[in-house]
Amino acid sequence: MDARSLLSLTKGLQREPTVPGMNPVTLQTLDIVRPGDPRYDEVRPAWNLAIDQRPAAVAVPRDAHEVVAAVLYAKREGLKVAAQGTGHNASPLGDLSDTLLIKTHEMRGVEIDPDNRIARVEAGAQWGDVVGPAGEHGLAALAGSSHDVGVVGYSLGGGVSFLARRYGLSADRVLAAEIVTADGELVRADRSRNQDLFWAIRGGGGAFGVITALEIELLDLPTVYAGAAFFPIERAAEVLHAWRELTQRVDDRTTSIGRILRVPPFEEIPEPFRGRPFAMVEVIHIGDQRSGDAVVKALRDLEPEIDTFGLIPTSALIHLHMDPPGPVPGKGEHHVAMATLPAGAIDAFVAANGAESGSQILTAEIRHIGGAVARRDGASGAAHLDAEYISFAASMAATPEMAAKAEQDLAQLDAALEPYESARRYLNFTEATADATSFYEADTLARLRAIKADVDPDGIFRSNHPLD
Ligand SMILES: Cc1cc2nc3c(=O)[nH]c(=O)nc-3n(C[C@H](O)[C@H](O)[C@H](O)COP(=O)(O)OP(=O)(O)OC[C@H]3O[C@@H](n4cnc5c(N)ncnc54)[C@H](O)[C@@H]3O)c2cc1C
């Protein structure tokens, strides 16, 4: 598929979206692929290759006009509509046999306005499309850990970056959205227009329409201090307890992750990482070499096998977590949200997934959030996480045997950490179907449902985590 990325320094970003009604030519040119079409298997897969999604039809629009055409097509055919950027969170979508899947991977344009610190990204843009061009101007985005996570899906669900404790959620940096509504109209939602819709999409997910573009605020942050300390997995308890104590000392300039990573034995992975299990801590500190070195001193005192801490361009943060370079078959059902992290939770995490556990989980992490993520001001949207720590784990599931083992290991980790669950779950880290009440406070959910009923009374739009 043709990935287009456009860096324009001159275009005004505050323009009105325009679609001059339904253009019959657009519907003729729109690519709609149905089962039986030889291209069906090419266009239907999700990023998570373990998900065998089989929609009634797939539309691959190239611009907002074609998104309008796709929505009108679905209405005419009596189909529901689900938008998908990458399919990183495809697994809770479920049966799509009555649904037109609008895959936005042909819409990856990115425009950076360095003077106003704004990026305008099209629906299919991935974080890797944004951080590089933004970084050329010393600007940073609240990107996820992977270069190929979609900006839109991530931001609609909240968006926890490595800078979150200082700068909050990605959803709170969304300045405007261009949305195709259930009527097939392209509208702009921002602080002064379609305010309810603007509030809802910033955390409420993809249930309100198809986003064709977002404008997001960038940060003036050319460099950060960041890196990881790697220890043999046998030292997991000692290392992760030290990490837990570190999280209790730092202010919101420091975000960190305690993690157990079993590096796959792939040839392309260099020694000494290839095929080895590690206990590790990743640290991201907004500051200089000196203050960063002070933050990680307690970890260096433990004499890690390798440590990579130092000042880096903020755009290089996208490589820190060593996420897969492209689509993989995975299982990631585990996710627990915690208001506090008692020492017992670290013991449980290590017992369920450490060297003696029998687990083969590829990556299991506990992220320290809180800080600005937990604060709210009048400008915030529907996204709000009250957890101070969130865990996430994923395993490879390339064969049925691997999938079964992954399920067993993830269930073991779930059972170990469940007693410590003490906050609302994070929608983006939830890869199983979940009740909307597990994500939102009652008043937030009631408002989201009222807006959904108003803008999509027939319930055409399906999101991965529905609100009902
Ligand atoms: C390897 C990996 C790393 C990750 N790292 C992070 C991280 O660091 N921080 C974090 O917070 N999360 C992270 N996530 C979770 C990620 O934020 C979610 O999976 C998110 O849903 C991905 O968005 P997407 O657009 O790529 O996925 P998709 O599966 O394409 O989209 C998810 C949902 O978003 C909605 N959506 C997408 N595009 C549109 C659109 N154009 N219009 C309307 N709705 C739309 C739909 O409801 C869709 O079902 C990670 C996930 C993985 C697998």
Side-chain angles (χ1 to χ4, degrees):
M1 292 292 161
D2 175 33
R4 289 170 294 166
S5 182
L6 172 68
L7 174 64
S8 161
L9 307 182
T10 51
K11 280 188 181 165
L13 296 174
Q14 301 293 325
R15 62 177 175 244
E16 284 285 341
T18 48
V19 168
M22 181 51 194
N23 174 352
V25 177
T26 305
L27 190 48
Q28 275 164 27
T29 58
L30 172 67
D31 207 6
I32 291 187
V33 183
R34 300 171 190 79
D37 186 313
R39 292 170 304 153
Y40 185 68
D41 284 345
E42 186 194 321
V43 294
R44 72 182 175 86
W47 178 90
N48 185 345
L49 299 172
I51 309 303
D52 185 25
Q53 50 186 15
R54 292 178 177 275
V58 183
V60 188
R62 287 161 298 187
D63 57 26
H65 297 260
E66 292 194 345
V67 174
V68 170
V71 170
L72 293 176
Y73 168 85
K75 287 181 76 163
R76 196 186 71 197
E77 299 291 313
L79 296 171
K80 306 264 185 212
V81 171
Q84 189 168 79
T86 66
H88 271 79
N89 199 310
S91 92
L93 264 176
D95 180 18
L96 293 174
S97 57
D98 64 349
T99 299
L100 172 70
L101 188 64
I102 300 186
K103 301 211 50 142
T104 60
H105 54 259
E106 291 284 351
M107 297 172 63
R108 284 177 65 176
V110 173
E111 300 170 22
I112 306 289
D113 174 353
D115 296 333
N116 294 306
R117 288 197 284 111
I118 295 173
R120 179 181 184 278
V121 306
E122 286 191 331
Q126 303 175 359
W127 278 119
D129 301 331
V130 180
V131 295
E136 287 171 22
H137 303 281
L139 300 173
L142 296 182
S145 63
S146 280
H147 70 99
D148 60 357
V149 161
V151 177
V152 170
Y154 167 95
S155 301
L156 263 49
V160 174
S161 72
F162 291 143
L163 306 169
R165 281 173 44 75
R166 183 63 164 189
Y167 297 110
L169 296 168
S170 177
D172 290 335
R173 300 281 163 170
V174 172
L175 301 172
E178 294 166 21
I179 309 173
V180 176
T181 64
D183 297 331
E185 273 184 50
L186 181 64
V187 302
R188 182 180 170 92
D190 58 24
R191 289 198 201 293
S192 55
R193 276 164 288 190
N194 297 302
Q195 290 156 329
D196 278 348
L197 193 53
F198 182 57
W199 176 85
I201 55 115
R202 290 177 297 147
F208 303 92
V210 182
I211 308 284
T212 57
L214 290 181
E215 288 173 18
I216 53 174
E217 184 186 348
L218 301 171
L219 307 165
D220 185 9
L221 188 68
T223 59
V224 286
Y225 181 97
F230 293 79
F231 301 84
I233 191 172
E234 291 74 17
R235 295 184 64 190
E238 173 196 10
V239 169
L240 295 178
H241 277 293
W243 165 71
R244 172 181 167 270
E245 284 161 24
L246 182 152
T247 65
Q248 291 169 346
R249 284 193 301 272
V250 293
D251 64 26
D252 67 9
R253 287 174 305 160
T254 301
T255 295
S256 60
I257 299 171
R259 186 176 187 195
I260 291 178
L261 174 68
R262 293 180 174 83
V263 181
F266 301 148
E267 260 180 31
E268 57 272 26
I269 299 174
E271 296 280 8
F273 299 101
R274 187 192 310 141
R276 290 197 48 204
F278 292 100
M280 57 186 291
V281 178
E282 294 164 2
V283 176
I284 303 93
H285 171 73
I286 298 157
D288 58 18
Q289 181 82 35
R290 203 164 148 207
S291 61
D293 283 346
V295 167
V296 303
K297 182 176 181 310
L299 298 170
R300 282 185 163 150
D301 286 349
L302 295 176
E303 299 184 356
E305 202 174 304
I306 304 155
D307 100 53
T308 63
F309 296 123
L311 267 191
I312 60 168
T314 310
S315 58
L317 271 183
I318 204 93
H319 306 296
L320 174 67
H321 209 52
M322 297 164 291
D323 281 343
V328 289
K331 278 223 166 285
E333 264 98 4
H334 165 84
H335 163 50
V336 171
M338 294 168 277
T340 60
L341 185 66
I346 296 290
D347 293 333
F349 183 76
V350 174
N353 187 39
E356 307 294 321
S357 64
S359 167
Q360 290 171 14
I361 289 175
L362 177 72
T363 173
E365 68 182 56
I366 304 178
R367 280 195 200 194
H368 185 206
I369 53 170
V373 172
R375 291 193 284 272
R376 283 184 111 163
D377 61 33
S380 298
H384 177 233
L385 301 183
D386 58 359
E388 284 283 322
Y389 298 87
I390 47 178
S391 73
F392 180 74
S395 252
M396 298 282 275
T399 63
E401 295 72 33
M402 284 172 83
K405 173 67 177 147
E407 239 167 64
Q408 182 193 327
D409 291 344
L410 292 166
Q412 180 171 301
L413 186 57
D414 255 341
L417 282 191
E418 222 170 68
Y420 299 95
E421 175 129 78
S422 50
R424 267 180 300 282
R425 288 187 162 216
Y426 175 37
L427 184 143
N428 280 356
F429 274 11
T430 303
E431 297 202 0
T433 49
D435 194 301
T437 55
S438 62
F439 302 131
Y440 302 105
E441 292 156 33
D443 56 343
T444 302
L445 184 55
R447 186 173 170 197
L448 284 171
R449 284 174 172 163
I451 296 169
K452 167 79 174 168
D454 189 37
V455 301
D456 183 16
D458 298 325
I460 290 171
F461 294 115
R462 291 184 57 187
S463 59
N464 51 349
H465 292 297
L467 297 163
D468 40 45

